[in-house]
Amino acid sequence: MAENRRWWALVVIALAQLMVVLDMTIVNIALPSAQADLNMSDGNRQWVITAYTLAFGGLLLLGGRIADLVGRRNTFVIGLLGFAAASALGGAAANSGMLFGARALQGVFAALLAPSALSLLATTFTDPKDRGKAFGIFGAIIGAGAAVGLLAGGILTEYLNWRWCLYVNIPIALVAFFGALALLEVGERHPGARLDVPGALLGSAGMLSVVYGFSEAESRSWHDGLVLTLLVAGVVLLALFGFWQTRAKVPLLPMSVVKDRQRVGAFLATLFVTIGMFGTFLFLTYYLQGVLGWSPLKTGVAYLPMTVAMVIGSTQIAARLLNKVPPRFLMVPGLLVAAGGLAIIAQVGVEPAYASHVLPGMIMLGLGMSTAMMTSVSLATGSVAPRDSGAASATFNTAQQVGGSIGTALLNTIAASVTATYLTAHAGPGVDKQLLAAKATVHGFNVATWWALAALLLAAVIAGVVVNADRAPTPQSAEKQAPEPVDTLG
């Protein structure tokens, strides 16, 4: 691929990933308005986020395998068009069930789109120097996407309505679609290959059971029979999925992808980072709008410093140091800085605390998280041969989305449970009910944020202990070391 064409291809790839990120941040800003318009309960509101991340995470491995087998550009463009159609359906939702279904459908097509995008990036830029620059630009564009999503979400929700936060995906998808047809190579395809349908069913059912169990705990309690059944069934199904992957002729998750120590460290760290982060962003949005009474637009603007910090962390810290220092020297400090940001945010009260707590916490979150996550992306995709890049990219995205699903459900359940307990314990005659409700809500958010902080600290421990490479690996080194694949495609 000609030099200029490669960099334009990066723009197309990043634009598609930007749409996925933008959609997440837009929905966070629009969620309070959508909840009121469609009469969602506090316990069910998290399904606007979870329906998307669950379908996304549950089907990513299948999407990554499809990308490897039928061509990455093909799955990329199908994912773009399907995502646009699902966004149109969500924008037209007449009730909460229709919106949840549309969000799940978005996740299905995102599961085709995301591993294709990341594997196209990994296989297009294999030279270490260009790779660091490309991943830095990719990370910066994604960070900018978060800013665009937050600002656009605020503007559209305030001056039009929340539905336009979904409709906006349509023109972005169409631009990326035509750019992909013009700039991206079709890539390798294996029409005779088989898909691991049992693996897809076991993995998706297992994740659905676990996340649904976490979400039901808020209304039923942790000791409820249904909740325990769902959680146990989910663990059993995921264990069966792991066993099946060692026996399947063409597994969704090749053992070569998960045998590498550096990739495993990146996958696990990403899982726990997103468990902590997804719920935190949801809480911050409700704190700023629900407790402080800020408008959607003002809330979107309030997130801008964090986004600027994300761009700086990706392009000026991680991209510059990725090939100069061991990856854990970027991941561990980055995660500790992010955890420090959460420690500050977890101490907010009902009084306005944006300048004193939220702003410094957001800046630390942006710097730390972007530095650690960009390094994790490079680790997850750099040490795998191009023929397995779809599976490796899908596994990384799966860790990210599954962590988001579990984190949103778990932290929302913790926050709601703590809030209810606080209300019961402090209610009484003469108590200002409105003030009590605000204090209970903030207390629930704070407790859940401390749990999110614990998840980031665990991610830092994993990165420090498991990741031990001297430098981030590249596909070129993997190609030199990898044996020729055995033809099992038949």
Side-chain angles (χ1 to χ4, degrees), residues 49 68-69 106 121 136 175 178 182 232 251 268 276 318 326 347 372 380 408-409 439-440 470-471:
I49 307 296
D68 282 337
L69 302 182
Q106 281 184 308
L121 180 68
V175 170
F178 289 113
V232 171
L268 290 176
Q347 300 178 62
T408 302
K439 287 184 176 180
D470 290 333
R471 296 290 184 274

mmCIF file of all heavy atoms in Angstrom, residues 49 68-69 106 121 136 175 178 182 232 251 268 276 318 326 347 372 380 408-409 439-440 470-471:
data_model
loop_
_atom_site.group_PDB
_atom_site.id
_atom_site.type_symbol
_atom_site.label_atom_id
_atom_site.label_comp_id
_atom_site.label_asym_id
_atom_site.label_seq_id
_atom_site.Cartn_x
_atom_site.Cartn_y
_atom_site.Cartn_z
ATOM 1 N N ILE A 49 -26.917 0.863 28.191
ATOM 2 C CA ILE A 49 -25.484 0.651 28.023
ATOM 3 C C ILE A 49 -25.180 -0.842 27.898
ATOM 4 O O ILE A 49 -24.473 -1.282 26.985
ATOM 5 C CB ILE A 49 -24.696 1.219 29.224
ATOM 6 C CG1 ILE A 49 -25.085 2.687 29.472
ATOM 7 C CG2 ILE A 49 -23.194 1.066 28.999
ATOM 8 C CD1 ILE A 49 -24.725 3.617 28.364
ATOM 9 N N ASP A 68 -11.339 -12.871 9.852
ATOM 10 C CA ASP A 68 -10.195 -13.644 9.373
ATOM 11 C C ASP A 68 -10.563 -14.519 8.181
ATOM 12 O O ASP A 68 -9.748 -14.749 7.285
ATOM 13 C CB ASP A 68 -9.649 -14.531 10.492
ATOM 14 C CG ASP A 68 -8.800 -13.758 11.499
ATOM 15 O OD1 ASP A 68 -8.271 -12.690 11.129
ATOM 16 O OD2 ASP A 68 -8.681 -14.214 12.644
ATOM 17 N N LEU A 69 -11.786 -15.025 8.169
ATOM 18 C CA LEU A 69 -12.144 -16.052 7.200
ATOM 19 C C LEU A 69 -12.751 -15.514 5.911
ATOM 20 O O LEU A 69 -12.559 -16.103 4.847
ATOM 21 C CB LEU A 69 -13.123 -17.056 7.834
ATOM 22 C CG LEU A 69 -12.618 -17.764 9.096
ATOM 23 C CD1 LEU A 69 -13.647 -18.758 9.595
ATOM 24 C CD2 LEU A 69 -11.300 -18.459 8.824
ATOM 25 N N GLN A 106 -27.037 -2.824 17.591
ATOM 26 C CA GLN A 106 -25.808 -2.061 17.366
ATOM 27 C C GLN A 106 -24.592 -2.875 17.817
ATOM 28 O O GLN A 106 -23.558 -2.893 17.146
ATOM 29 C CB GLN A 106 -25.845 -0.743 18.149
ATOM 30 C CG GLN A 106 -26.663 0.357 17.524
ATOM 31 C CD GLN A 106 -26.549 1.640 18.327
ATOM 32 O OE1 GLN A 106 -26.757 1.654 19.546
ATOM 33 N NE2 GLN A 106 -26.225 2.735 17.660
ATOM 34 N N LEU A 121 -5.712 -2.172 11.191
ATOM 35 C CA LEU A 121 -4.680 -1.259 11.689
ATOM 36 C C LEU A 121 -3.382 -2.012 11.976
ATOM 37 O O LEU A 121 -2.291 -1.574 11.590
ATOM 38 C CB LEU A 121 -5.178 -0.554 12.947
ATOM 39 C CG LEU A 121 -4.214 0.451 13.599
ATOM 40 C CD1 LEU A 121 -4.025 1.664 12.708
ATOM 41 C CD2 LEU A 121 -4.740 0.882 14.968
ATOM 42 N N GLY A 136 -0.625 5.902 18.083
ATOM 43 C CA GLY A 136 -0.797 7.159 18.798
ATOM 44 C C GLY A 136 -1.892 8.011 18.170
ATOM 45 O O GLY A 136 -2.742 8.574 18.870
ATOM 46 N N VAL A 175 -19.908 7.834 5.425
ATOM 47 C CA VAL A 175 -18.601 8.374 5.010
ATOM 48 C C VAL A 175 -17.526 7.305 5.143
ATOM 49 O O VAL A 175 -16.704 7.094 4.230
ATOM 50 C CB VAL A 175 -18.236 9.618 5.849
ATOM 51 C CG1 VAL A 175 -16.786 10.029 5.588
ATOM 52 C CG2 VAL A 175 -19.176 10.771 5.522
ATOM 53 N N PHE A 178 -17.886 4.507 2.270
ATOM 54 C CA PHE A 178 -17.332 4.836 0.958
ATOM 55 C C PHE A 178 -15.807 4.977 1.021
ATOM 56 O O PHE A 178 -15.098 4.622 0.065
ATOM 57 C CB PHE A 178 -17.979 6.118 0.422
ATOM 58 C CG PHE A 178 -19.416 5.928 0.014
ATOM 59 C CD1 PHE A 178 -20.440 6.544 0.722
ATOM 60 C CD2 PHE A 178 -19.737 5.118 -1.060
ATOM 61 C CE1 PHE A 178 -21.771 6.359 0.348
ATOM 62 C CE2 PHE A 178 -21.075 4.924 -1.436
ATOM 63 C CZ PHE A 178 -22.086 5.538 -0.726
ATOM 64 N N ALA A 182 -12.934 2.650 -1.130
ATOM 65 C CA ALA A 182 -11.920 3.301 -1.965
ATOM 66 C C ALA A 182 -10.495 3.025 -1.498
ATOM 67 O O ALA A 182 -9.576 2.963 -2.324
ATOM 68 C CB ALA A 182 -12.166 4.808 -1.990
ATOM 69 N N VAL A 232 -24.130 -18.643 38.642
ATOM 70 C CA VAL A 232 -23.510 -19.977 38.576
ATOM 71 C C VAL A 232 -23.592 -20.535 37.153
ATOM 72 O O VAL A 232 -22.620 -21.081 36.623
ATOM 73 C CB VAL A 232 -24.175 -20.943 39.581
ATOM 74 C CG1 VAL A 232 -23.681 -22.372 39.362
ATOM 75 C CG2 VAL A 232 -23.896 -20.500 41.008
ATOM 76 N N PRO A 251 -11.496 -23.188 16.351
ATOM 77 C CA PRO A 251 -12.029 -22.467 17.516
ATOM 78 C C PRO A 251 -12.158 -20.973 17.267
ATOM 79 O O PRO A 251 -11.428 -20.390 16.466
ATOM 80 C CB PRO A 251 -10.996 -22.747 18.609
ATOM 81 C CG PRO A 251 -9.722 -22.990 17.857
ATOM 82 C CD PRO A 251 -10.128 -23.683 16.584
ATOM 83 N N LEU A 268 -6.228 -9.155 30.475
ATOM 84 C CA LEU A 268 -6.733 -9.102 31.852
ATOM 85 C C LEU A 268 -6.744 -7.671 32.390
ATOM 86 O O LEU A 268 -7.692 -7.251 33.069
ATOM 87 C CB LEU A 268 -5.890 -10.006 32.755
ATOM 88 C CG LEU A 268 -6.046 -11.509 32.535
ATOM 89 C CD1 LEU A 268 -5.075 -12.281 33.420
ATOM 90 C CD2 LEU A 268 -7.481 -11.956 32.808
ATOM 91 N N GLY A 276 -14.007 -0.999 35.912
ATOM 92 C CA GLY A 276 -14.042 0.203 36.738
ATOM 93 C C GLY A 276 -14.523 1.443 36.013
ATOM 94 O O GLY A 276 -15.245 2.258 36.583
ATOM 95 N N ALA A 318 2.405 7.719 25.629
ATOM 96 C CA ALA A 318 2.487 6.328 25.196
ATOM 97 C C ALA A 318 3.150 6.177 23.829
ATOM 98 O O ALA A 318 4.046 5.346 23.655
ATOM 99 C CB ALA A 318 1.084 5.709 25.179
ATOM 100 N N PRO A 326 10.008 -0.651 28.714
ATOM 101 C CA PRO A 326 9.142 -1.825 28.850
ATOM 102 C C PRO A 326 7.683 -1.411 29.000
ATOM 103 O O PRO A 326 7.381 -0.400 29.659
ATOM 104 C CB PRO A 326 9.658 -2.495 30.136
ATOM 105 C CG PRO A 326 11.085 -2.047 30.244
ATOM 106 C CD PRO A 326 11.100 -0.643 29.713
ATOM 107 N N GLN A 347 -14.826 11.230 46.610
ATOM 108 C CA GLN A 347 -15.053 12.015 47.827
ATOM 109 C C GLN A 347 -15.980 13.208 47.608
ATOM 110 O O GLN A 347 -16.082 14.085 48.469
ATOM 111 C CB GLN A 347 -13.708 12.490 48.376
ATOM 112 C CG GLN A 347 -12.776 11.335 48.739
ATOM 113 C CD GLN A 347 -11.425 11.811 49.225
ATOM 114 O OE1 GLN A 347 -11.323 12.489 50.242
ATOM 115 N NE2 GLN A 347 -10.371 11.457 48.498
ATOM 116 N N ALA A 372 -2.154 3.738 29.608
ATOM 117 C CA ALA A 372 -2.201 2.296 29.844
ATOM 118 C C ALA A 372 -2.926 1.558 28.727
ATOM 119 O O ALA A 372 -2.472 0.498 28.270
ATOM 120 C CB ALA A 372 -2.883 2.015 31.181
ATOM 121 N N ALA A 380 -1.581 -6.389 22.740
ATOM 122 C CA ALA A 380 -2.579 -7.388 22.362
ATOM 123 C C ALA A 380 -2.496 -7.764 20.897
ATOM 124 O O ALA A 380 -2.784 -8.907 20.519
ATOM 125 C CB ALA A 380 -3.974 -6.869 22.683
ATOM 126 N N THR A 408 -20.678 -2.042 34.373
ATOM 127 C CA THR A 408 -21.883 -1.212 34.424
ATOM 128 C C THR A 408 -22.956 -1.874 35.275
ATOM 129 O O THR A 408 -23.584 -1.230 36.129
ATOM 130 C CB THR A 408 -22.417 -0.964 33.002
ATOM 131 O OG1 THR A 408 -21.399 -0.329 32.219
ATOM 132 C CG2 THR A 408 -23.649 -0.071 33.033
ATOM 133 N N ALA A 409 -23.184 -3.178 35.054
ATOM 134 C CA ALA A 409 -24.212 -3.885 35.816
ATOM 135 C C ALA A 409 -23.845 -3.986 37.290
ATOM 136 O O ALA A 409 -24.666 -3.714 38.175
ATOM 137 C CB ALA A 409 -24.426 -5.281 35.226
ATOM 138 N N LYS A 439 -28.185 13.106 49.019
ATOM 139 C CA LYS A 439 -27.082 12.543 49.792
ATOM 140 C C LYS A 439 -26.979 11.028 49.594
ATOM 141 O O LYS A 439 -25.878 10.482 49.485
ATOM 142 C CB LYS A 439 -27.266 12.861 51.276
ATOM 143 C CG LYS A 439 -27.000 14.309 51.650
ATOM 144 C CD LYS A 439 -27.123 14.514 53.152
ATOM 145 C CE LYS A 439 -26.761 15.947 53.554
ATOM 146 N NZ LYS A 439 -26.876 16.148 55.017
ATOM 147 N N ALA A 440 -28.140 10.358 49.560
ATOM 148 C CA ALA A 440 -28.137 8.909 49.369
ATOM 149 C C ALA A 440 -27.581 8.539 48.003
ATOM 150 O O ALA A 440 -26.794 7.584 47.869
ATOM 151 C CB ALA A 440 -29.562 8.365 49.528
ATOM 152 N N ASP A 470 10.525 -6.598 27.382
ATOM 153 C CA ASP A 470 11.415 -5.439 27.385
ATOM 154 C C ASP A 470 10.889 -4.321 26.484
ATOM 155 O O ASP A 470 11.102 -3.144 26.751
ATOM 156 C CB ASP A 470 12.813 -5.840 26.925
ATOM 157 C CG ASP A 470 13.514 -6.713 27.955
ATOM 158 O OD1 ASP A 470 13.189 -6.588 29.152
ATOM 159 O OD2 ASP A 470 14.364 -7.523 27.561
ATOM 160 N N ARG A 471 10.241 -4.703 25.390
ATOM 161 C CA ARG A 471 9.667 -3.733 24.457
ATOM 162 C C ARG A 471 8.374 -4.300 23.902
ATOM 163 O O ARG A 471 8.159 -5.512 23.895
ATOM 164 C CB ARG A 471 10.633 -3.425 23.289
ATOM 165 C CG ARG A 471 11.931 -2.744 23.693
ATOM 166 C CD ARG A 471 11.709 -1.315 24.153
ATOM 167 N NE ARG A 471 12.967 -0.640 24.444
ATOM 168 C CZ ARG A 471 13.603 -0.702 25.618
ATOM 169 N NH1 ARG A 471 13.081 -1.410 26.601
ATOM 170 N NH2 ARG A 471 14.734 -0.062 25.815
#
